[in-house]
Structure formats: C-alpha cells, structure tokens
Amino acid sequence: MDTYDVIVVGGGPAGEVVAEGAVRSGLSAVVVEAEAVGGECSYRACVPSKALLRPGAARAAARSVEGTRQAVTAALDPARVLARRDRFTGRGDDTGQADWLEGAGIALVRGHGRLAGERRVDVTRADGTVRALRARRAVVLCTGTEATLPPVEGLDRIDVWTSREATTADAVPERLVVIGGGVVACEMATAWRSLGSRVTVLVRGQALLGGWEPCAGEEVARGLSDLGVSIRFGVSAVRVARDADTRTVSVSTDDGTVLDCDEVLAAVGRRPRTADLGLASVGLPAGDWLPVDDTCRVTAAEGEWLYAVGDVNHRASLTHMAKYQARACAAAIAERAAGRPAVTGGHQPWSAEADRVAVPQAVFTRPEVASVGLTERAAREAGLTVRTVEYRIDDVAGAALHADDYRGLAKLVVDEARGLVVGCTLTGPMASELIHTATVAIVGEVPMERLWHAVPAFPTVSEVWLRLLEAYGR
C-alpha cells in the first residue's frame, strides 16, 4: 500500500490547487484521476465554451463602432473558430497538465478512485488492477458534477448533447434545440447561433437565468432574440425521436408543436459525481452532495480527515470558487497536520467564507451579465434592510465612447443598516470585467461613504460607480 500525506481524488482545477498547496506546505500529495488531468473546465466547459463565444463577441464589438462596422462584413468562419477552440483544449490531451503535476512534486495515479475506509483509497486502473493508497493526513474529494437529463421520453436514445458535447462538437448543426434556460443554455445558444445554427430555446418557466436579478434574464433574452434565437417560454419538451436514416430529431412539446432539428442540447442542471466513490465504506450515502464547513471538511464524517472541494460540495459551482476553496482546504490540512486548530471565521486563510457572501459570476452572452453577492430578493429574505440603486450604463460617457449602441444596466443592493453594498448585478459589454470592483467592495465591507473616494477614471465605463453613488446620495 502506497502512503501519502494527502490523497486528492479528482484532478480538475480544485484537485490541482489542493495538491499544490499541500506540497508547498511540506506534505506529500497524490492526485487520482480517471479521465484527464485538468478536469471538465479545461476540456469540456469553461475554456472551450469561452473559446466558442469570444469570436462572435469580438465581431459584435467591432461592428458596434462607426468606422469599423463598415470594415467587418463577413460572417464568422466556423472551421477556424473550432480550430482555435481545439488549440486551447488540445482536444483532451492532458500531457501538459500531467507534466505540471510532476514538476510541482505531485504524484499522479490514473484510474477510478474509491474510498475503501478511513484514509484509504482504492484505484481501479484501466487494465482492471487495483492500487491501494493510504493517507496519513487527509483524503480530498474533488470529483465535480455531471449533467442530468430532464424526464423527456426518448431523450436517452438520441445521442443527446449535454454541456460536454455542446462545447466539443466538430461541426455546426444546422438546427439546434436547447432545453433549459440557465447559464449553459444561454451561452451555448449564443455560441452556436453566432456560428450559423438556427437555435430554438425551450424554457419551462417564464424567465432566463432563474436565481439572478430579473434584469439579467431580461437582457439576455433580448440579446438572444436580437441574434435570431427563438425563445419559447412556458414550453417543455415531452418526447424526442431521431430518424435512423436522416438523423433528424423531432421534438414534441407540451403545447402540441413538433420541432425538427439536427441536435438537442439538454441543459437543465447537474448532479454530484458521488455515486461510485465508496462513500458507504465510511458511513455516508452514495450519490449525494457532500456538505462541508468553511475548511471544506465533510461535516458528516467523523474526524478531520475527509474533505470535499469544488462543485461536489454544492456551495458555489464555479471554477474560480473551487480554486478558492482549494486554497483554504490545503491551508487547513497543513494547520491540522502541524497540530494547530484550523478554526473557521476571522478571515483566516483556511476559512472559505467568500463563497457564502461574495460569489462573482459572469455569463458570456451578448450582452454579458455578471453578478456578485445577494440579489434584492435574497437580501430581503435574509432580513436585511434593503435599498436598491439602478443606473443605465449607456448614460455613462465612457460607455458611449466604447460602443455606439452600448446598452447596459447596473444595480446595487445596499444593506442600509450597515451602509454596505451586499450585491451587484451588471449587464452590457465588459460586465464580466467590471464586476470585480463590486466583489472587492463587498468582501472588503467598504462603507458607501468611503466608496466616494474611489474615483473612477474618465472616460471609462467604470464611471458608472460614480453615477450609482450620486443616485444613492451621501
């Protein structure tokens, strides 16, 4: 049995950062990976999706300014866009990531890892043999999530797209039906429409991006419609079938419509990859999320040896927050290994508190939308004394100079009792780049009166912060 201080099951961004942090603290670490080192984000999610979205956004940005609009007349070149995406992902080749692990002093064991009792992991390799590992200090589960399919008759028999297929497809479907109204649905509808596909989005509810401020979903819906995407609210797919000869898919909906398409993307949610992790060997139910404390220690497990980082703990399913948790987790493991208590709270480096109060996120549609902190609804439900401030970003001089047809909105959620920003939502070009200012304000608990002294440069889009403060009043 091979022994390491820390065993990390899952070699995605979270697993890589935990292992690196452990090694930097003087501990030995091994990463167990069943697929590709680098994880979903590198090959089938964040990286390829943004690679698909950026060309359309760049073209739109050029066409938003008089003088360059006339120079940009051709459509995107799908073959070149897909080739550029493949350069970023290496088509799943993880050689570079594996070499990085070796260079960082982190061992790699390829195969499917399962818990086999306290501090023990059995790894089943491709040839069926099993390698037993033992952890002196900790086992960290970083196995992420997988797409779920909605209860649509025939969906499991048509080679349906999930986020994996939508980000890695080698050809543009002539017609695409998207089931869902969340981030994946909106981004992939944007990307494939930009590449020439005729896209229809079926949304069971009455809005896109549920859980966001309503203005975000409204702006994304407007943007998709402007691109030529057909959005059908209050409509669900009930039956699908693929013709064996033509490969055409028919999608029957609950309003009696039948849509013909070439591919169907199911983007309705994700579940934890914990069904085959050996959780029963340590008294935990298989297939569930793994609740953790602020050090990412699994609270249902006895002792201080089992941790869960990233999407699998269901705190904040975003790559950047997974890496944030991973840094905290590695610091906590190191503290405990040294015999010191890793007590949460007090802004300690091993206390992952920001993923409860200040989670930044961005959707790379056209327009972009971004948010951090609480929505107005969530703040009121939390019992805060809430005041909101809104300002049209298009009325800012820097925005008008940035694009002739700039359209965007900024909304602040303020806790009046403390005079602090607790939430912010932005829509419009560059929203993803602007949101970090709000993140700093929320995490730093910067009082509104102090923000007056953070003077934005003129003429930039960031001047919207001055306008928001003016609308709020001293």
Side-chain angles (χ1 to χ4, degrees):
M1 182 179 293
D2 298 319
T3 301
Y4 298 86
D5 290 317
V6 180
I7 300 172
V8 180
V9 182
E16 290 175 324
V17 173
V18 170
E20 181 186 27
V23 168
R24 285 186 173 180
S25 297
L27 304 174
S28 61
V30 59
V31 167
V32 178
E33 176 54 50
E35 298 184 89
V37 178
E40 200 80 356
C41 180
S42 297
Y43 310 109
R44 307 180 188 94
C46 318
V47 171
S49 67
K50 303 314 169 286
L52 290 173
L53 287 157
R54 179 55 191 160
R59 181 180 182 276
R63 288 186 54 79
S64 71
V65 178
E66 187 71 18
T68 59
R69 179 182 299 115
Q70 292 75 13
V72 181
T73 57
L76 295 180
D77 184 328
R80 292 181 181 273
V81 171
L82 297 180
R84 179 176 183 269
R85 175 205 60 192
D86 291 345
R87 289 200 299 274
F88 280 101
T89 65
R91 296 187 66 86
D93 182 354
D94 71 348
T95 302
Q97 294 294 98
D99 289 345
W100 178 86
L101 286 181
E102 182 179 3
I106 302 165
L108 171 62
V109 175
R110 294 188 182 274
H112 185 83
R114 297 178 185 83
L115 291 171
E118 184 174 329
R119 302 176 197 269
R120 292 179 54 197
V121 174
D122 285 346
V123 183
T124 303
R125 293 176 284 200
D127 61 5
T129 60
V130 177
R131 180 174 175 181
L133 306 177
R134 182 181 179 279
R136 297 186 189 93
R137 303 296 181 182
V139 174
V140 188
L141 304 177
C142 304
T143 52
T145 60
E146 60 190 4
T148 59
L149 295 183
V152 177
E153 181 183 338
L155 200 61
D156 57 347
R157 299 192 296 273
I158 65 163
D159 297 323
V160 63
W161 278 12
T162 65
S163 56
R164 284 190 166 196
E165 291 76 19
T167 56
T168 60
D170 291 328
V172 179
E174 183 178 344
R175 300 158 300 179
L176 173 66
V177 170
V178 179
I179 301 174
V183 174
V184 171
C186 293
E187 287 193 342
M188 290 299 92
T190 301
W192 290 109
R193 176 60 193 144
S194 298
L195 290 170
S197 184
R198 299 201 303 273
V199 180
T200 301
V201 180
L202 304 180
V203 186
R204 182 176 60 182
Q206 297 299 322
L208 299 176
L209 300 180
W212 287 62
E213 293 283 6
C215 62
E218 291 165 2
E219 288 295 290
V220 171
R222 180 193 61 79
L224 287 172
S225 296
D226 288 348
L227 278 175
V229 174
S230 174
I231 307 174
R232 302 185 61 189
F233 290 106
V235 177
S236 297
V238 295
R239 187 181 308 104
V240 299
R242 188 185 292 274
D243 186 280
D245 296 323
T246 66
R247 302 299 295 164
T248 297
V249 180
S250 62
V251 180
S252 301
T253 66
D254 57 1
D255 68 351
T257 303
V258 177
L259 303 171
D260 290 328
C261 64
D262 301 285
E263 301 293 348
V264 175
L265 165 59
V268 297
R270 303 184 69 82
R271 63 189 175 201
R273 298 181 71 179
T274 58
D276 192 19
L277 270 185
L279 293 175
S281 71
V282 294
L284 299 178
D288 285 356
W289 303 99
L290 295 170
V292 298
D293 65 14
D294 283 353
T295 67
C296 292
R297 181 185 64 83
V298 177
T299 54
E302 294 185 6
E304 296 181 335
W305 66 275
L306 184 62
Y307 297 78
V309 174
D311 293 5
V312 74
N313 66 33
H314 211 214
R315 285 173 65 116
S317 297
L318 297 157
T319 297
H320 47 281
M321 299 311 296
K323 293 195 286 187
Y324 164 73
Q325 292 175 8
R327 290 188 289 270
C329 179
I333 291 170
E335 283 295 298
R336 288 167 177 153
R340 297 186 291 267
V343 180
T344 59
H347 308 298
Q348 301 293 345
W350 51 81
S351 183
E353 59 188 47
D355 61 8
R356 290 183 283 106
V357 297
V359 178
Q361 51 190 327
V363 185
F364 295 87
T365 45
R366 296 208 300 273
E368 292 182 354
V369 296
S371 72
V372 63
L374 300 175
T375 62
E376 177 183 353
R377 178 177 178 178
R380 295 190 187 282
E381 289 176 347
L384 302 183
T385 303
V386 173
R387 180 180 169 191
T388 64
V389 185
E390 295 185 14
Y391 194 85
R392 295 294 318 178
I393 304 178
D394 16 317
D395 289 338
V396 175
L401 290 165
H402 179 82
D404 295 340
D405 56 354
Y406 195 108
R407 177 187 171 98
L409 177 70
K411 178 175 180 177
L412 290 186
V413 179
V414 181
D415 176 1
E416 283 283 86
R418 296 181 296 160
L420 300 177
V421 177
V422 293
C424 177
T425 296
L426 303 172
T427 76
M430 297 177 63
S432 61
E433 300 295 339
L434 293 170
I435 198 63
H436 191 61
T437 303
T439 304
V440 173
I442 293 171
V443 172
E445 298 183 340
V446 183
M448 291 293 287
E449 65 266 20
R450 190 64 186 161
L451 285 175
W452 278 97
H453 302 286
V455 183
F458 178 87
T460 65
V461 182
S462 293
E463 196 182 6
V464 68
W465 277 92
L466 173 60
R467 303 306 173 206
L468 286 165
L469 290 168
E470 289 175 340
Y472 181 78
R474 292 181 181 274

